[in-house]
Amino acid sequence: MLTSIYSNSTGNIELWEIAVCSATAIILGFIIALTHMKTSKYSKNFLVTLIVLPILVNAVIIMVNGNLGTSVAIVGAFSLVRFRSIPGTSKEILSVFFAMTVGLSLGMGHIFFACLVTAFTSISIVLFSKINFFEVGNQERILKVTVPENLDYTNMFEDIFKEYTKQVQLESVKTTNMGSLFELHYRLVFDRSKNEKEFLDELRVKNGNLKISFSHPIDTTEI
């Protein structure tokens, strides 16, 4: 069932075998791109990357085909790509790894296995994106509050946090404006039953209406 379509194990691969694997790579890459498009934010360039990536990985594995010297050269090439990469979200990293896995399977000639992995993984991604089991994480926020230097910020907002948050942690404190102000960085889990505007209004009363930033954490990781 999981046998390779490559009939010759000595490295002489037929042209039709390469054509079949390459065509399958395009189709499965398109399915991976559709899955990412339905479950996450995307750009046209990234979707094109997901479609083409399985073809390239498939070609790389075909070129290696048991050759140790070529394998070392390929590892070096991928290392250069790694250091030229840009930050991406966890879902983007997942989609890239998904496409590479499919391309690797096709490069080894395991078409049925590649199709099976694509179908199972795509269904899993869509399913887990739709259910609300992990939704509590969506209430996590980054709060940046500016306070005058003459105020003791240690327990300054404790009563407000008890009312509006489920969990809060002071991550960092830094001085701004020539040391006349403190900028406090909090990571907190906001209580979804509370009103965000009322929360910010109470903070503004405490800090003298100085600058406040309230945002979702940025989900970026080096690809």
Side-chain angles (χ1 to χ4, degrees), residues 31-85:
I31 295 174
I32 294 171
L34 282 178
T35 302
H36 182 84
M37 186 173 63
K38 295 295 183 181
T39 59
S40 182
K41 296 180 180 179
Y42 62 91
S43 66
K44 179 181 178 181
N45 289 338
F46 188 71
L47 295 182
V48 171
T49 299
L50 293 179
I51 295 173
V52 175
L53 189 57
I55 307 172
L56 296 179
V57 176
N58 169 60
V60 168
I61 299 304
I62 290 175
M63 285 189 297
V64 173
N65 199 24
N67 189 309
L68 181 60
T70 308
S71 302
V72 174
I74 294 301
V75 170
F78 277 126
S79 298
L80 291 176
V81 173
R82 166 65 181 84
F83 287 109
R84 295 288 294 176
S85 62

Side-chain angles (χ1 to χ4, degrees), residues 5-152:
I5 68 164
Y6 297 147
S7 56
N8 196 327
S9 61
T10 61
N12 297 320
I13 302 175
E14 298 292 337
L15 183 60
W16 72 267
E17 295 172 336
I18 297 176
V20 169
C21 288
S22 298
T24 307
I26 296 176
I27 297 172
L28 298 185
F30 187 75
I31 295 174
I32 294 171
L34 282 178
T35 302
H36 182 84
M37 186 173 63
K38 295 295 183 181
T39 59
S40 182
K41 296 180 180 179
Y42 62 91
S43 66
K44 179 181 178 181
N45 289 338
F46 188 71
L47 295 182
V48 171
T49 299
L50 293 179
I51 295 173
V52 175
L53 189 57
I55 307 172
L56 296 179
V57 176
N58 169 60
V60 168
I61 299 304
I62 290 175
M63 285 189 297
V64 173
N65 199 24
N67 189 309
L68 181 60
T70 308
S71 302
V72 174
I74 294 301
V75 170
F78 277 126
S79 298
L80 291 176
V81 173
R82 166 65 181 84
F83 287 109
R84 295 288 294 176
S85 62
I86 61 174
T89 66
S90 56
K91 279 194 174 181
E92 289 173 342
I93 295 173
L94 173 63
S95 296
V96 169
F97 189 71
F98 185 9
M100 291 182 67
T101 301
V102 170
L104 176 61
S105 301
L106 292 172
M108 299 295 293
H110 297 292
I111 293 181
F112 178 78
F113 180 73
C115 294
L116 188 65
V117 168
T118 301
F120 184 79
T121 306
S122 297
I123 293 172
S124 299
I125 292 174
V126 172
L127 178 63
F128 284 114
S129 296
K130 298 298 182 182
I131 63 176
N132 299 324
F133 182 76
F134 304 105
E135 201 168 74
V136 64
N138 293 335
Q139 303 306 312
E140 190 174 87
R141 300 288 191 274
I142 299 296
L143 175 67
K144 299 178 182 178
V145 185
T146 303
V147 299
E149 63 171 342
N150 61 336
L151 295 181
D152 182 10

